[in-house]
Amino acid sequence: MLKRLHLLWFPDSFTLKNRIVVVFALCTLLPLICTVVFAYHTMSTMLTSKLNTSLRDNLRQVELSIENILVNLNHVSQQLAAPGSVGMKLDAFLKAKDPYERASLYSEFKNEFNVLTFSNPSIGMTMYFLENEGRYLLNNYGVKPDSSMEDLPILADRYKIRNHGPHISLQRHNHQYVLSTLRQVDIRNRDTIYVYIESAFNLTEDILQRNERTQRSSYLLMNAEGEVTYSDLPERFPVQSMFSEQGNEGMTGAYYWFKEQSDQGWSIVSLIPQVQYDEEKNEWIVQMAYLTIFFVVLSLIASWLLWLMVYRPMNTVHEEIDSLTNNDFASKVIFTKIPEFDALLAQFQHMKAQIRSLFQQVEQKEKRRADLEVEKLMYQINPHFLMNTLDTARWMAVMNGQKDIDHILTSLNRLLSYNLGKLGELSNVAEEIESMKQYLSLQQHRYDFTFDVQIEASDDLMQTTVSRFILQPLVENCLYHGLEDDGHISVCVFSEHDQLVIVVSDDGKGMSQEKIDQLLTDDTALQKNGMGIGMSYVKRVLERQYEGASSLRIKSTLGKGTSIYVTIPTEVHGNDQHHDR
């Protein structure tokens, strides 16, 4: 099927060069074109979503900041109005008749008023306004002449409290935009009194500042009826006009708009010019157009270079293959200076060298094989001679009535016979315990102190297969590392979770963690002193025999003793299955 498609694609007259150009152009341009077409919609959606999210997040921050300022102004005005603490003092001051009492109440009232205004750095000008008298009381800044609170843009109007949108401050010599709150003070039998509080003018500017993405955004503030109370674009959206657009976002004229409504009922709208809104998307389209042109040119250049780089190196590789087919291992390769082809030719050279090396290794192995046969016979003869000599010495001890020597030689003969591996590499738990007993019998004659050995192993585990000569080095470690007179050694063998667990413990002096690490890491200096050789042997045998399925751990406490834990996979065999007698 592939052959028919190949013939359908390329007529026989098509050269390799033409085929490379066509295939490379198709493989480069078709995915690119498909990617551009599909990516346009995806990227357009992503960029639009990204920009909308950024604008809406910024708008939400502005809305929350303005709302927090108004809440703070309302809170301070409540303290200044009755029944607030300052408002109550104002009520007492206005009702007092005695001049001395009025002076005292005024001083107290003014001090608390000043403390309240100075402790709130987010508020600006603060004062009481007596509507019927048309005068101001306790204003902390000068008031502009002919200023009127009735002309301030109303952002939210509720019972006895009115919030004003951004407007020029009533403070004399200050022409910055501020937010303000006007609250009625309830004092019986008095003309209407209001407390008026402005926000700090720099705070309002900070809120309406532009960030990098929205540097060309403009803002509208509207009351609950949709009337514009503040506008960054007065020529397009004048103050006191109605913003008639419905929904939370959309497009009006040459602007995209996004709207957020506060919990107090007023709304804020962010306006961004359409050119600014589509700028990032248009930049991406231009970049993709340049990228497409670049890839078209690059694909044509790459096809031509590929033709130059492939044809001649292919001839060199073909010649090298022919030389290998003709068993010409002495020919010298000529490299093409192209890494891929040179790597292939180097592999051919390496393969030739390996073949020559294999011939030499076969000859050396045949010679070594003959030497090993001789060594094998020697290893069989030497233990046999040693066992016979020990047996002769034992009978001589028996004839002379030397029972201790007889016992020692008998145990040594059995121990050497087992440990020299005469019966094969694998053993079982029963034979390991018997060999350990022979070893302990010899050690009891050797040391001048007594020790007790307790062995716990169930009968159903006695035929479990284990590596040869792993139990004796563990017991030897107990004797060499701190066991004293009347010491106790415990050997416990049990099965747990399909694992055979061997625990060898003593109540000796114990060892430090540093000593344990040396025993488990094959410390060369420690082995030169004759210590740790047996543990190193057990560790290596377990790693080789069970390939990571076993474990060897040591736990020790100074002055209390040491425990060695060996865990190996459980595998039960009869005696005739793991060695030949």
Side-chain angles (χ1 to χ4, degrees):
M1 183 66 181
L2 293 175
K3 185 176 180 181
R4 292 180 180 177
L5 289 174
H6 173 73
L7 293 176
L8 181 63
W9 283 353
F10 301 113
D12 294 340
S13 59
F14 257 53
T15 63
L16 178 61
K17 177 181 178 181
N18 294 334
R19 298 183 186 194
I20 289 176
V21 172
V22 173
V23 171
F24 203 85
L26 290 177
C27 293
T28 304
L29 296 179
L30 286 181
L32 179 63
I33 293 173
C34 293
T35 302
V36 171
V37 172
F38 286 103
Y40 172 76
H41 176 71
T42 303
M43 290 300 297
S44 177
T45 303
M46 291 176 59
L47 290 174
T48 301
S49 176
K50 177 182 177 182
L51 185 58
N52 288 357
T53 301
S54 176
L55 291 170
R56 191 162 288 282
D57 288 343
N58 181 74
L59 183 62
R60 180 60 178 165
Q61 290 297 323
V62 174
E63 182 264 325
L64 288 176
S65 298
I66 295 177
E67 189 170 16
N68 289 336
I69 292 177
L70 294 177
V71 169
N72 184 54
L73 294 178
N74 293 342
H75 176 70
V76 175
S77 67
Q78 186 177 10
Q79 293 180 332
L80 293 176
S85 59
V86 180
M88 294 176 64
K89 288 182 174 58
L90 174 64
D91 185 18
F93 166 73
L94 294 175
K95 291 180 179 180
K97 303 298 184 181
D98 183 65
Y100 176 78
E101 182 182 3
R102 285 177 60 86
S104 177
L105 289 173
Y106 179 80
S107 178
E108 184 179 351
F109 165 63
K110 185 175 182 180
N111 288 337
E112 189 166 348
F113 178 84
N114 291 334
V115 169
L116 183 61
T117 56
F118 282 114
S119 62
N120 287 274
S122 61
I123 66 175
M125 187 174 72
T126 306
M127 60 182 176
Y128 287 98
F129 175 63
L130 284 68
E131 184 178 33
N132 293 340
E133 300 178 14
R135 66 185 182 91
Y136 305 103
L137 181 65
L138 290 178
N139 48 300
N140 54 354
Y141 294 101
V143 183
K144 291 179 181 178
D146 302 328
S147 57
S148 173
M149 297 182 183
E150 297 297 327
D151 298 333
L152 300 181
I154 300 175
L155 194 60
D157 192 359
R158 290 168 292 174
Y159 178 69
K160 294 186 179 182
I161 184 171
R162 189 167 64 194
N163 297 123
H164 301 120
H167 60 86
I168 301 298
S169 173
L170 299 184
Q171 179 182 340
R172 184 177 297 175
H173 309 305
N174 182 6
H175 301 285
Q176 304 294 331
Y177 277 92
V178 295
L179 299 171
S180 64
T181 294
L182 185 66
R183 178 188 288 270
Q184 183 177 344
V185 179
D186 291 327
I187 298 179
R188 294 181 179 181
N189 303 321
R190 292 292 304 181
D191 296 333
T192 304
I193 301 176
Y194 296 94
V195 57
Y196 174 80
I197 307 176
E198 290 183 354
S199 65
F201 64 88
N202 57 341
L203 189 63
T204 306
E205 289 183 346
D206 291 340
I207 292 174
L208 296 178
Q209 69 181 358
R210 282 76 168 177
N211 60 28
E212 182 179 354
R213 182 173 296 278
T214 58
Q215 59 183 350
R216 299 183 188 175
S217 297
S218 302
Y219 294 102
L220 303 179
L221 280 174
M222 302 172 298
N223 56 25
E225 289 74 28
E227 180 183 357
V228 178
T229 61
Y230 170 80
S231 174
D232 275 342
L233 298 172
E235 68 283 353
R236 177 67 178 82
F237 301 96
V239 176
Q240 296 183 346
S241 65
M242 300 298 295
F243 187 81
S244 58
E245 302 294 337
Q246 300 298 321
N248 292 326
E249 60 182 62
M251 186 173 181
T252 175
Y255 295 91
Y256 285 96
W257 61 271
F258 300 88
K259 181 181 178 182
E260 285 288 341
Q261 185 171 3
S262 74
D263 297 335
Q264 299 173 352
W266 53 269
S267 304
I268 182 171
V269 174
S270 175
L271 299 164
I272 181 171
Q274 182 179 2
V275 175
Q276 170 71 14
Y277 186 86
D278 295 334
E279 183 177 0
E280 190 172 355
K281 187 189 303 183
N282 295 334
E283 289 178 357
W284 183 85
I285 294 174
V286 172
Q287 291 175 0
M288 291 303 298
Y290 284 131
L291 186 63
T292 302
I293 296 173
F294 171 76
F295 271 102
V296 170
V297 176
L298 183 63
S299 63
L300 296 177
I301 296 175
S303 300
W304 179 67
L305 292 176
L306 186 62
W307 160 251
L308 295 179
M309 290 187 296
V310 169
Y311 184 71
R312 283 187 232 174
M314 285 182 62
N315 281 338
T316 305
V317 173
H318 185 266
E319 292 174 359
E320 187 67 18
I321 294 175
D322 287 341
S323 67
L324 184 62
T325 305
N326 297 327
N327 296 325
D328 182 8
F329 299 110
S331 62
K332 186 176 181 180
V333 66
I334 301 175
F335 290 100
T336 63
K337 297 182 180 180
I338 298 178
E340 289 78 8
F341 286 103
D342 287 348
L344 181 61
L345 294 172
Q347 288 295 328
F348 275 108
Q349 287 295 96
H350 181 64
M351 185 169 56
K352 289 180 182 180
Q354 283 186 323
I355 292 175
R356 287 196 298 268
S357 177
L358 287 174
F359 281 130
Q360 295 173 358
Q361 291 178 13
V362 169
E363 294 177 358
Q364 293 175 358
K365 287 182 179 180
E366 288 297 326
K367 183 178 179 181
R368 179 60 180 163
R369 181 179 179 183
D371 295 338
L372 290 175
E373 291 293 334
V374 176
E375 292 179 6
K376 181 178 179 182
L377 293 175
M378 292 178 63
Y379 284 128
Q380 292 176 350
I381 293 172
N382 289 339
H384 182 70
F385 170 75
L386 179 60
M387 303 306 168
N388 290 338
T389 302
L390 290 174
D391 194 53
T392 301
R394 171 182 169 275
W395 281 111
M396 291 177 65
V398 172
M399 292 174 63
N400 290 291
Q402 301 291 334
K403 294 182 179 181
D404 289 340
I405 297 177
D406 173 28
H407 183 70
I408 292 174
L409 291 176
T410 300
S411 298
L412 179 60
N413 197 349
R414 293 176 181 175
L415 183 62
L416 290 176
S417 176
Y418 178 78
N419 288 352
L420 288 175
K422 183 178 179 180
L423 301 180
E425 185 179 14
L426 293 178
S427 182
N428 58 36
V429 174
E431 292 179 349
E432 278 290 291
I433 292 176
E434 181 61 30
S435 174
M436 178 196 68
K437 290 179 179 179
Q438 301 298 331
Y439 169 76
L440 291 173
S441 178
L442 291 174
Q443 295 296 63
Q444 284 176 343
H445 286 87
R446 176 183 176 188
Y447 289 104
D448 59 352
F449 62 87
T450 59
F451 56 87
D452 176 54
V453 180
Q454 182 179 356
I455 302 174
E456 296 181 10
S458 60
D459 294 338
D460 57 342
L461 296 177
M462 288 300 180
Q463 300 304 317
T464 303
T465 301
V466 295
S467 296
R468 180 178 296 276
F469 192 56
I470 63 171
L471 190 55
Q472 176 186 322
L474 304 182
V475 177
E476 181 181 11
N477 182 79
C478 295
L479 294 175
Y480 284 174
H481 294 285
L483 191 65
E484 297 178 344
D485 196 12
D486 295 330
H488 178 75
I489 298 177
S490 171
V491 179
C492 183
V493 183
F494 59 92
S495 178
E496 184 178 70
H497 304 303
D498 297 329
Q499 299 281 321
L500 181 69
V501 182
I502 302 173
V503 183
V504 179
S505 305
D506 66 73
D507 57 356
K509 292 185 293 185
M511 63 182 75
S512 64
Q513 186 61 42
E514 181 181 1
K515 191 70 167 293
I516 294 175
D517 295 338
Q518 290 177 342
L519 289 174
L520 293 178
T521 55
D522 298 336
D523 191 293
T524 305
L526 195 66
Q527 295 180 10
K528 286 182 179 180
N529 295 329
M531 303 176 65
I533 297 177
M535 293 298 293
S536 177
Y537 166 79
V538 173
K539 180 183 177 184
R540 293 184 180 182
V541 166
L542 293 176
E543 291 175 349
R544 179 178 62 86
Q545 185 69 34
Y546 300 103
E547 299 179 348
S550 62
S551 66
L552 173 63
R553 297 179 292 114
I554 301 176
K555 293 182 178 180
S556 182
T557 303
L558 292 175
K560 293 185 178 181
T562 303
S563 297
I564 305 175
Y565 299 83
V566 176
T567 304
I568 60 177
T570 303
E571 188 175 352
V572 181
H573 297 284
N575 289 345
D576 57 339
Q577 290 178 295
H578 69 281
H579 60 73
D580 296 327
R581 292 281 182 187

